[in-house]
Amino acid sequence: MLKRLIVIVTAATFFSSSLTLAQSKKPKEPDKFPPSPLEITTPDPLLPPSRDKQPLTQAEMQKLKVALDQLNQEAAAKLQAGDKVGAFEIWNRELRLRRFLGALAEVQALSRVGAIAWNQNDRQELQYITQRLQAIQKQAQPKKTDSQKNVDVELLRSLGEAYQNVRLPKLAVEVYEQVLAVVRQQNPAALVETLKTIGEVNLSWFDYPKAATTYEELLGLATSKGDRLNELAYLKQLAYIYEQAKQPQQAINVQNKLAEIYVNENNLTEIPELKLAIASEYESLAKENPSLLQQAFQNYQEAYTTAWQLQQYVRAGEALQKLITLYRFQGQTDEALQASQILVQIEERAVNFYGMMQAYDQIGQLHLERKEYPQALTAFQKGLELAQQIKHQETYFTGQIEKLSKTNF
């Protein structure tokens, strides 16, 4: 009996301690991503048995390249057939073997498959490819004792493209900036193209401050060379960047340079749109500094005048409407009314029935503000005629007319 009791107590103690131990150990969390299939070292039948002892010969590399191109086609066919898992298994095998053809060939393949993985929204595959790209980038970094001549620029460019394909713009720019440091010293002809690439990457990912810095340098290079075509292109790009970055003063500075070039070259066609943009930027600045509102007025007037002379009636109407809005904001009802009546004529020349209807509505509202009810009624009646022609806002104008008809004026 005593022996049995000892056994029971011992067993109870064991189970109790086991339970305590189990509770004290937290379950191990699984890795977010399993080990990369790109790092598998199992011998592959496409490689010669001696591959660990000596590099592949040119003939062996060519044979392997043909086989890997075939693997790529097989993977694409599987993906087309709906077998995504099978496709990436083949592509991963291809990518493992591509490294035997050199870093450049491997990066180019990683870039191609990375673009496919992004389109397929395969986060795991993107993680594998990114890890491998970063490993190659680390290996490609020159040592402190190395000169810039030892930097593999072609490999770095391919890495930059690959990072773009897997949507890692910061890493792409980092690599392109290394390229930039080399070409500044060794290949000035490649400087512009490298800067363009950096600017485009920053711009595509809405990094406006860095994009602006790059395009300002490009502008300086074009100006120093007297390259008017690219100077205009970079000024336009900078105007867009500063507009998007909500930097009105910088935008105005660039737009004024553009306007000066167009005037000097007697290319007035671009002026109305440019003056509209400048005026809009001054309006933004006037919120903090009301004295700048006069600059907005002036540029809207120049936009209107130039557009009218060039028979750009749509642009002229747009500028005049902006002026009317400013007049009303300033409480200048007389000027707003006069401009609105001119606007009707402009919209008529532009054959813009909707614009004419809106202008008559505006005239009616301005007359109402001045308590000139007969004139308001006339304007709304003309607006209704146009509304009936274009089958739009008929109820609105009918309502306005009914309200005025009940007014004892």
Side-chain angles (χ1 to χ4, degrees), residues 320-333:
L320 195 55
Q321 183 57 61
K322 293 286 187 180
L323 281 169
I324 293 166
T325 302
L326 286 182
Y327 283 137
R328 296 185 74 174
F329 176 74
Q330 295 278 82
Q332 296 174 263
T333 310

Side-chain angles (χ1 to χ4, degrees), residues 235-282:
L235 282 169
K236 287 179 181 178
Q237 195 69 283
L238 280 165
Y240 169 78
I241 289 168
Y242 287 131
E243 284 173 11
Q244 297 301 309
K246 308 300 181 189
Q247 294 179 278
Q249 187 57 62
Q250 287 86 338
I252 289 169
N253 295 342
V254 171
Q255 290 158 344
N256 277 327
K257 287 180 184 178
L258 273 170
E260 184 179 345
I261 292 172
Y262 288 137
V263 170
N264 289 340
E265 294 181 349
N266 200 29
N267 179 13
L268 301 182
T269 306
E270 305 289 337
I271 294 297
E273 184 177 4
L274 198 53
K275 288 293 182 179
L276 277 168
I278 293 171
S280 179
E281 298 296 347
Y282 273 120

